[in-house]
Amino acid sequence: MSVHDRLDEILAIACAIGWGTADILLNAQRSSFAIETSGDSPVTSADLAANHYILNNLQATFGLQEFAYLSEETFAAQPASDRLGKPWVWIIDPLDGTKDFINRTGEYAVHIALTHQGRPVLAIVACPELDKLYYATRNGGAFVETRHQSPKPLHVSTQSQPETLTLVASRSHRDQRFAKLLERFPCKGQKQMGSVGCKIAAIAEQSADLYLSLSGNSAPKDWDFAAPELILTEAGGKFTHFDGSPLQYNREEVSQWGGILASNGKCHEELCAIAENLLKAIHV
């Protein structure tokens, strides 16, 4: 049986792993954790424990022959040949929003995506502090569940005028150029939030409509976007570069440079054009 034919079975396993990872992170928040690496991209003992749990469970279940694995915490030590050219690749961020985890804002998430030929086909985003797990399969819709409630389908908002949209952006990853872009963007409602997964979940649940990302000295990585993208697009939204091109995953370069725009899709092309035009006028 092909992987495509087994997606429902694979999804059930991935959801269980997502909930298990959420428990690890919640327990670390309630007890204690160590900051293993500080700086702009901190790593905690909780990141490492969550990563170990996800990889061990995925690899024990699915093996290393048919599937490859790309995870934030093991990427640097992994030979690129382990994953490049492989059609099926799991892309994992065991703790997206580590700064928020350290600061205990509650705005952190678990990202688990299965990609085929560089595009996501299955996604899990778990938000432990919300007791919510979001999941999607390509052409299968997006859903949210809690530990005590059955899954509910997700649908983005129907807001279609740029000025009526609520924009959600990063609290910590912003430079002067990005700050100017946000200042000039036409959306009247703007709020800050940690974790890309939390931001995209907000759009999928209609508490926001638009997310912007702009690389500077560094850029988001594959594991920041692969799972959230599929959750959003299966909820009816769009997730592209500013020029409208789709994101590609599992290349040799895992950084997603440039501008990324995720929206409810109702005026996505117009918003992309606005972003590109504003950037041309911004000089820092």
Side-chain angles (χ1 to χ4, degrees), residues 35-112:
I35 298 176
E36 306 288 342
T37 305
S38 58
D40 193 51
S41 299
V43 177
T44 72
S45 55
D47 294 73
L48 301 178
N51 185 69
H52 180 78
Y53 175 83
I54 294 170
L55 280 179
N56 272 13
N57 278 276
L58 287 177
Q59 291 175 353
T61 306
F62 301 113
L64 298 170
Q65 294 301 312
E66 196 168 18
F67 298 90
Y69 301 83
L70 170 59
S71 175
E72 178 178 18
E73 304 309 331
T74 54
F75 162 72
Q78 176 190 34
S81 58
D82 285 358
R83 59 181 178 82
L84 291 178
K86 302 291 179 66
W88 292 99
V89 181
W90 289 95
I91 299 182
I92 301 152
D93 191 342
L95 175 46
D96 183 64
T98 301
K99 287 183 180 178
D100 284 272
F101 183 83
I102 292 170
N103 294 328
R104 302 183 187 275
T105 70
E107 295 168 359
Y108 60 91
V110 179
H111 297 177
I112 303 172

Side-chain angles (χ1 to χ4, degrees), residues 2 16 26 38 46 51 79 104 113 120 136 144 146 148 165 174 183 185 195 204 210 244-245 253 276:
S2 72
L26 283 171
S38 58
N51 185 69
R104 302 183 187 275
V144 59
T146 72
H148 308 295
L165 303 183
R174 55 175 64 203
E183 286 171 11
F185 219 75
S195 175
L210 167 68
S245 62
E253 169 64 88
E276 286 202 303

